[in-house]
């Protein structure tokens, strides 16, 4: 593939049925699928391809992120939104490289959250954990610009970020000379902050001062560590449930969730989708295993972090119904109804309405 010499395109098809037929013959490592295709959609095609050749990873190409959670339900490795940007595709390629490196060198012991290296946290808020005493501390930024500059470089870690991009992001209204002075001062402040935190992170000047690159060194990044841990987990079952729970707990909040950084939104949505998929699997496992308290805790945490995710509310309703808690079912339904109608201006999804109506038929309406 042009620009990525370690990627070989072995075949391409315009007819999904032909691609499905050839999957077991071509034996691809990865299949890129458009969600919108003739005859059948990409989600259906993915299921058929994985039935024909289970070893293939799937990456979806879609114009809407509405399909994101469905994509992960068919074990997709990633999804890329149209129009495809080079930087976003590069992230997918990097993710594939890491995955196949892990497959070749998978450790015998399943991973657990790290405890022996410095870690920079960007899930929910920017913090760091020192390696020696494992205490989490907040960065002492001189200004909000310094914080966002570091966050942006961290977002693009190990990749070149041009000076022009930083000037446009942080000082769009200033003249070039003034903005450049602000940039140099702020980079210096960030470096001093990292030094005071005793973190092995370097911000290097690239191309004669025309840009920068952030090197994490031996430090970890919690978003990377979390996603790697999730990807390396074995299928959920009773013997490894505690490992799944550990990585569920490790996700402290959305990617830069405490900040209004629009440039982080795409990655925020992607990681949120991965977490939701895993969290719902864990909640369902607990519910099906009659571990009602654990299921309740997981569903409630999903609702707390992602209050607009209707399926978590629905999971709580069904859990309360199973426990014979009629008032709790009705209260959860009314809570979801209020959230949908008053804050989003939409109705509760039809399948939840139908379930609720069926529940009323079986149990009778509760007077309020």
């Amino acid at each position: 593939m042009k620009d990525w010499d370690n990627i070989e395109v072995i075949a391409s098809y315009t007819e999904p049925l032909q691609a499905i037929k050839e999957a077991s013959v071509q034996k691809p490592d990865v299949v890129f699928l458009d969600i919108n295709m003739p005859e059948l959609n990409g989600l259906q095609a993915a299921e058929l391809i994985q039935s024909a050749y289970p070893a293939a990873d799937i990456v979806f190409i879609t114009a809407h992120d509405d399909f994101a959670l469905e994509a992960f339900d068919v074990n997709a490795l990633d999804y890329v939104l149209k129009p495809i940007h080079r930087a976003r595709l590069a992230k997918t390629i990097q993710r594939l490289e890491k995955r196949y490196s892990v497959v070749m060198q998978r450790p015998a012991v399943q991973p657990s959250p790290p405890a022996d290296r410095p870690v920079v946290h960007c899930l929910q808020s920017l913090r760091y954990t020192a390696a020696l005493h494992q205490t989490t501390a907040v960065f002492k930024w001189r200004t909000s610009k310094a914080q966002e500059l570091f966050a942006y470089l961290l977002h693009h870690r190990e990749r070149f970020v041009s000076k022009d991009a930083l000037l446009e992001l942080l000082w769009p209204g200033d003249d070039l000379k003034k903005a450049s002075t602000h940039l140099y001062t702020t980079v210096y402040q960030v470096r001093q902050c990292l030094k005071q935190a005793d973190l092995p992170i370097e911000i290097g000047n690239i191309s004669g001062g025309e840009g920068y690159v952030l090197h994490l060194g031996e430090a970890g990044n919690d978003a990377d560590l979390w996603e790697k841990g999730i990807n390396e987990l074995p299928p959920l079952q009773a013997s490894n449930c505690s490992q799944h729970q550990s990585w569920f707990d490790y996700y402290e909040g959305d990617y830069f969730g405490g900040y209004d950084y629009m440039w982080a939104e795409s990655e925020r949505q992607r990681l949120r989708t991965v977490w939701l998929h895993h969290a719902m699997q864990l909640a369902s496992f607990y519910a099906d295993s009659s571990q009602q308290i654990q299921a309740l805790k997981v569903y409630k945490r999903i609702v707390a972090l992602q209050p607009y995710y209707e399926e978590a509310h629905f999971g709580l309703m069904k859990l309360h119904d199973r426990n014979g808690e009629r008032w709790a079912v009705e209260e959860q339904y009314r809570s979801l109804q209020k959230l949908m109608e008053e804050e989003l201006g939409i109705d509760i999804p039809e399948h939840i309405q139908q379930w609720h109506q069926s529940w009323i038929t079986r149990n009778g309406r509760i007077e309020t």
Side-chain angles (χ1 to χ4, degrees), residues 69 72 77-78 95 98 102 110-114 117 119-124 127 157 216 220-233 243-256 266-282 301-302 305-306:
L69 202 62
F72 284 103
L77 180 70
D78 199 358
R95 190 164 295 117
K98 288 180 181 179
V102 167
Q110 290 299 327
S112 60
R117 61 190 293 196
V119 175
V120 178
H121 301 262
C122 57
L123 294 176
Q124 188 56 29
R127 293 153 292 131
R157 51 199 172 277
L216 280 172
N221 168 260
D222 66 342
D224 287 343
L225 294 169
W226 172 79
E227 187 172 19
K228 182 175 183 290
I230 289 291
N231 287 336
E232 292 182 0
L233 282 170
Q243 293 173 340
H244 282 263
Q245 181 70 48
S246 292
W247 285 110
F248 169 79
D249 293 335
Y250 191 75
Y251 188 93
E252 297 185 72
D254 283 339
Y255 183 71
F256 291 115
S266 176
E267 184 70 350
R268 184 180 297 131
Q269 175 64 31
R270 188 187 68 80
L271 292 176
R272 177 189 299 154
T273 302
V274 175
W275 181 78
L276 278 172
H277 179 255
H278 178 254
M280 290 297 289
Q281 278 190 327
L282 186 60
R301 184 152 186 262
I302 297 172
L305 289 182
Q306 307 299 337

Side-chain angles (χ1 to χ4, degrees), residues 184-201:
Y184 300 143
T185 301
T186 305
V187 169
Y188 172 79
Q189 291 173 349
V190 170
R191 285 173 172 155
Q192 289 300 108
C193 185
L194 294 174
K195 184 177 180 180
Q196 291 169 7
D198 196 26
L199 290 171
I201 299 174

Side-chain angles (χ1 to χ4, degrees), residues 37-96:
M37 297 190 298
E39 299 182 56
L40 74 169
N41 66 39
L43 297 171
Q44 296 168 319
E47 292 180 348
L48 293 172
I49 286 174
Q50 289 185 326
S51 295
Y53 185 60
D57 280 315
I58 304 293
V59 175
F60 282 109
I61 310 296
T62 175
H64 306 284
D65 61 8
D66 298 345
F67 295 103
L69 202 62
E70 291 183 70
F72 284 103
D73 278 336
V74 292
N75 297 318
L77 180 70
D78 199 358
Y79 72 99
V80 181
L81 293 178
K82 297 178 184 178
I84 300 174
H85 297 288
R86 176 185 171 81
R88 179 63 181 86
L89 182 59
K91 282 190 174 183
T92 298
I93 299 300
Q94 289 173 1
R95 190 164 295 117
L96 289 168

